[in-house]
Amino acid sequence: MSEYSLIINGEKVAGAGSFDVINPATEEVLAKAPDTSVEQLDQAVAAAKAAFPAWAATDNETRKQACLQLADLLEANIDDLAQLITQEQGRPLQAFGGQGAYFEVGGAAVWCRSNAELELPVEVLQDDDEIRAEVHRKPLGVVGSITPWNWPLLIAIWHVIPALRAGNTVVIKPSSYTPLSTIKFVELAQSVLPAGVLNVVTGEGEVGTAMSTHADINKIVFTGSSATGRKIMQGASVNLKRLTLELGGNDAGIILPDVDVKAMAPRIFASAFTNSGQTCAALKRLYVHESIHDELAAELVAIAQSAKVGNGLEEGMDYGPVNNRDQLNKVVELAEDAKAQGANFLVGGDVQEGAGYFYPLTIVTDVKDGMRLVDEEPFGPILPIIKYSSVEDVLKLANDNENGLGGSVWSSDIAKATDLAMELEAGTAWINNHAAIQPNVPFGGVKQSGFGVEFSTYGLEEYTSIQSVIINKA
């Protein structure tokens, strides 16, 4: 069994204790991960704080090249990293539509390169005979990153790389369910970055709580549940930390009656079941016009029945298990509630026997808003299909949810779909697609899905403060 270390100030450090990392496909202990004490967190933050002045002072080209070198490291170690992701998270190496563990590592490299090319030039607001007014973007200091278990390496990259590109130093805490690929990445990164610039601590929720209240952490970037995001926001008030919070999503997709069902069904399916539904921006509430409801449901069922669910290390698997027992229990709880209220399970709906946190790909009809399966985010491989007749009514239903991460409209009439999508209360609106994020387009939520954005120059700016410089020439 492998044992892993903290990385503090460029050195491997044993934890104050250890905890088991479980392979969700087998329920066997995969590795021992280090448990971080508060004193060790303080050491990691102190190392990042000490490294900040020199890293912030490095020239733009040096930080750009560092991001490119990190991309090279990811690609050079893609096999080891993909294997780790599959074993700790459950996603197959390739998966349905090619969106498996290899896709995650490759995507992480793409994001490194995209961030490397971003620039934050000095903006000149006024330059005349009397005044020159400039706006400068300056790094914040120590950034605390807290990442979830669903896309452990990719989301770590989303947090870390723009922070480094802007001149900050980082202490990252991955989920205790999936810490291994992040530890491996931080270990590799030490060959590129000066000591203390990037540190990793691991452990349970207490470490994250200590990070949110730490006086020497200047910003927290967090991806996870809305409930935890609110706690982080409370903790961050002690020193008015900057925050970027990408929180829960219960995204709605509206299928208009003119959609080409056979052409769009595979894309709809992939949008809903990516990573077995364990994606914040996955399509989780599917509203289908009554005229094509049955036809589309049948197409989605046929795809579900043809997909293979199993251990992601085995060849040909499309989907893996739910990542952990607690999340599996949540999926089961919502499914059983729907059954009790008369929902129709077209496929799936029962926990598989044997080892692993497996739940079958499940499609449910005869459901409506007000049922838990529709109103709450299951974060698992189960999709409720809600029949509607009026576009005006379905728009109200789609927006009548506390979350507002993403939403989509599907139609053969692009202009009509775009107009309707603009009325969705969501940070991102897709037309004839869903959950398709890209590094050059900002991504973030509204309502209880958080605030702040990631990706593109807009996301990079969130790791900086503005300093106005006013030069009096007279």
Side-chain angles (χ1 to χ4, degrees), residues 85 103-109 111 151-159 181-182 437 455:
I85 290 168
F103 171 84
E104 179 167 355
V105 183
W111 249 269
W151 293 83
L153 179 63
L154 185 57
I155 294 177
I157 294 298
W158 292 351
H159 290 190
S181 55
T182 300
I437 56 176
F455 316 154

Side-chain angles (χ1 to χ4, degrees), residues 207-404:
V207 182
T209 300
M211 289 175 67
S212 68
T213 59
H214 203 292
D216 288 331
I217 292 180
N218 305 97
K219 175 184 173 71
I220 293 282
V221 53
F222 170 73
T223 302
S225 71
S226 298
T228 302
R230 285 189 285 270
K231 292 178 182 177
I232 289 173
M233 191 172 179
Q234 290 174 339
S237 67
V238 298
N239 67 337
L240 299 180
K241 285 179 178 61
R242 303 293 182 95
L243 293 172
T244 298
L245 302 177
E246 195 263 272
L247 308 179
N250 196 13
D251 289 12
I254 299 174
I255 314 298
L256 298 181
D258 65 350
V259 80
D260 185 333
V261 170
K262 286 193 176 296
M264 288 299 174
R267 192 179 298 175
I268 293 168
F269 187 90
S271 299
F273 288 99
T274 179
N275 194 23
S276 297
Q278 299 168 110
T279 297
C280 294
L283 198 166
K284 299 189 177 80
R285 294 179 288 148
L286 186 63
Y287 293 91
V288 182
H289 191 268
E290 58 187 3
S291 63
I292 58 170
H293 174 276
D294 293 350
E295 180 186 1
L296 179 55
E299 290 289 333
L300 296 176
V301 167
I303 298 172
Q305 290 173 331
S306 68
K308 294 182 179 180
V309 179
N311 189 326
L313 293 179
E314 297 177 10
E315 191 172 346
M317 291 301 162
D318 294 301
Y319 295 98
V322 176
N323 174 258
N324 55 81
R325 173 66 65 183
D326 287 345
Q327 193 59 43
L328 176 61
N329 290 342
K330 176 66 181 293
V331 175
V332 171
E333 183 180 321
L334 295 184
E336 293 305 310
D337 181 77
K339 289 178 183 178
Q341 298 190 60
N344 183 20
F345 282 65
L346 300 181
V347 64
D350 295 303
V351 177
Q352 298 175 213
E353 294 183 2
Y357 307 133
F358 289 99
Y359 195 85
L361 304 176
T362 300
I363 294 172
V364 188
T365 59
D366 295 336
V367 290
K368 61 183 180 180
D369 284 72
M371 296 173 64
R372 291 186 62 194
L373 182 58
V374 178
D375 293 354
E376 300 179 27
E377 180 185 26
F379 217 66
I382 183 168
L383 178 65
I385 302 178
I386 306 100
K387 185 186 297 185
Y388 77 90
S389 57
S390 161
V391 172
E392 292 75 17
D393 289 343
V394 77
L395 180 63
K396 291 178 182 178
L397 293 173
N399 286 335
D400 187 20
N401 193 277
E402 66 175 11
N403 297 297

